[in-house]
Amino acid sequence: MNIHQKYLLRCIELAKKGLGSTAPNPMVGCVIVHNGKIISEGFTSPYGGPHAEVNAINAVKNKEVLAECSLYVTLEPCSHYGKTPPCADLIAKYKFKEVFIGLQDPHDKVAGQGIVKLVEAGCKVNVGILEEECREHHKRFLTFQEQQRPYIILKWGETQDGFLAPDDSVREADPQPYWITNRYSKQLVHQWRSEEQSILAGTQTVLKDNPKLNVRNWSGKNPIRVVLDRTLKIDNAFQVLDRSVKTIVLTEESNASKHVDGIDYAVVDFEEPLAKQICDVLFQHNITSVIIEGGAQTLQTFIYENLWDEARIFQGQVRFESGIPAPKIKGTLTHTESILTDSLSIYRND
């Protein structure tokens, strides 16, 4: 690994500090190097705030030294006005001698234009430093830009004998929640929720479990809640409609109000493949990632349409003997770990 790759690796480490707060903007990392030493670092502020390059440049007190510096950044500096001015203009203003970029930004308002601005300003620009690692880091943003859909994470817990939940007859006799995983696994799930922009659950999951779908066991931002409710069976007594968090309800009821007291309604056709329609709605809402925590039918919808990027599967120690079978997927196993008595396996869709 050469020195430029090491600096980009540091940019990736910094960028991760923005996980869960920058979306729908990408979480970018930036370092400024002078005479072989890092003199400033920055990462993207929460959405609406300064970008990584701005934070790194602003942290340098003596701006005159910047013309002698190299700037490293995980993603091409933006070239357009959004919530903030273009980062490429700021870098050009201070005439950095060299800029090292992890990968080009596919956003249609950037797409190489930031690089052009820097070159025209006299900066020597190098693109493709640790590109594979930067693509992995920016997977949410890139999926949204290149495939016009959110990055999709399937999540479920299953028993030792492969069930998601006991039979309905068992639940009717004893309606209390049936926990499969331990409290440390539950806390990890809440951490994951804080890292993603939205979370989705199906009608039956809401009706049976009355989930909050928030991050009460972790410190972080609650995800946008997305709920499938074909015939609007879920009423205001359920926690997902408590209006504490932005909520999107997907229904077939065309007369549902588009927006009522903080709840957005979107009409989809439940007789047609549903996962693609859900992705289209989330794309329209500028949502770059979603965790699917629905029941077996909801999970299977995404698996059947092959619309998923990761599957995070817990296996607990309990056994149900019978019940609702857990989904089956085909993918590449990328990670395994033990969480006390539970096991976690993470798969990637190839």
Side-chain angles (χ1 to χ4, degrees):
M1 179 177 288
N2 62 42
I3 190 63
H4 302 305
Q5 293 172 327
K6 289 182 179 179
Y7 289 140
L8 251 298
L9 194 60
R10 176 57 183 163
C11 289
I12 294 173
E13 291 175 350
L14 289 166
K16 291 177 180 178
K17 295 178 181 290
L19 183 58
S21 67
T22 69
N25 284 342
M27 45 182 179
V28 176
C30 175
V31 301
I32 296 173
V33 177
H34 182 252
N35 291 336
K37 294 183 178 180
I38 294 176
I39 64 168
S40 185
E41 300 179 333
F43 58 92
T44 305
S45 299
Y47 181 65
H51 293 183
E53 302 93 312
V54 176
N55 287 329
I57 290 172
N58 287 345
V60 178
K61 293 183 179 180
N62 178 16
K63 297 295 192 291
E64 294 180 0
V65 77
L66 294 177
E68 303 170 5
C69 293
S70 297
L71 182 143
Y72 294 77
V73 66
T74 57
L75 189 68
E76 176 186 0
C78 62
S79 57
H80 64 290
Y81 282 86
K83 294 283 186 181
T84 59
C87 293
D89 288 358
L90 185 65
I91 297 169
K93 172 185 174 181
Y94 288 109
K95 301 185 183 301
F96 281 81
K97 67 176 183 179
E98 199 160 11
V99 178
F100 295 85
I101 298 170
L103 73 156
Q104 184 174 312
D105 189 338
H107 193 294
D108 58 3
K109 292 183 178 179
V110 186
Q113 297 177 60
I115 294 170
V116 171
K117 280 192 174 186
L118 296 176
V119 172
E120 290 177 345
C123 299
K124 182 181 178 182
V125 180
N126 308 270
V127 184
I129 314 299
L130 285 189
E131 182 170 1
E132 184 177 341
E133 289 83 352
C134 287
R135 284 197 64 88
E136 170 62 21
H137 168 73
H138 286 297
K139 58 190 177 184
R140 296 165 180 83
F141 178 74
L142 294 176
T143 298
F144 186 81
Q145 295 298 329
E146 295 172 350
Q147 301 185 44
Q148 285 75 58
R149 66 166 177 82
Y151 188 83
I152 300 168
I153 300 168
L154 308 181
K155 192 282 298 181
W156 71 83
E158 61 183 51
T159 63
Q160 280 284 313
D161 47 357
F163 295 102
L164 288 180
D167 291 319
D168 286 343
S169 59
V170 175
R171 296 188 66 137
E172 289 172 5
D174 186 4
Q176 67 176 339
Y178 286 80
W179 295 111
I180 292 174
T181 56
N182 62 50
R183 63 190 182 97
Y184 298 100
S185 296
K186 295 172 197 169
Q187 187 178 48
L188 177 58
V189 169
H190 284 229
Q191 178 186 342
W192 289 345
R193 291 176 180 178
S194 75
E195 296 171 349
E196 308 305 332
Q197 203 176 352
S198 67
I199 181 170
L200 182 145
T203 308
Q204 293 306 311
T205 296
V206 173
L207 293 178
K208 291 177 181 178
D209 297 337
N210 193 17
K212 293 181 179 179
L213 302 181
N214 61 14
V215 296
R216 60 195 178 277
N217 291 331
W218 193 260
S219 176
K221 184 179 179 181
N222 287 318
I224 296 168
R225 297 183 295 205
V226 184
V227 180
L228 299 179
D229 191 2
R230 181 171 185 170
T231 58
L232 298 182
K233 292 181 179 178
I234 302 168
D235 60 36
N236 291 335
F238 288 88
Q239 296 178 125
V240 293
L241 299 184
D242 64 9
R243 294 164 175 78
S244 62
V245 181
K246 177 180 177 180
T247 303
I248 302 170
V249 177
L250 304 177
T251 180
E252 69 177 7
E253 299 293 337
S254 58
N255 61 344
S257 176
K258 290 185 178 180
H259 183 82
V260 179
D261 296 331
I263 299 175
D264 290 332
Y265 289 87
V267 176
V268 294
D269 187 350
F270 281 77
E271 296 298 327
E272 297 295 329
L274 196 55
K276 175 61 167 60
Q277 295 181 74
I278 294 171
C279 289
D280 290 343
V281 171
L282 299 188
F283 183 78
Q284 291 165 12
H285 280 264
N286 217 23
I287 293 173
T288 59
S289 66
V290 59
I291 299 178
I292 310 299
E293 286 201 26
Q297 183 176 351
T298 303
L299 289 164
Q300 199 60 54
T301 295
F302 283 84
I303 295 170
Y304 176 76
E305 293 184 45
N306 197 32
L307 279 172
W308 62 278
D309 299 289
E310 287 183 35
R312 302 175 181 179
I313 306 169
F314 292 96
Q315 188 176 70
Q317 291 295 300
V318 300
R319 302 178 70 88
F320 284 165
E321 306 301 337
S322 64
I324 300 172
K328 303 296 182 183
I329 61 166
K330 293 181 179 179
T332 299
L333 180 64
T334 61
H335 177 80
T336 59
E337 68 175 286
S338 296
I339 304 174
L340 289 185
T341 56
D342 297 340
S343 62
L344 169 64
S345 301
I346 299 179
Y347 292 83
R348 171 159 294 181
N349 188 357
D350 297 324

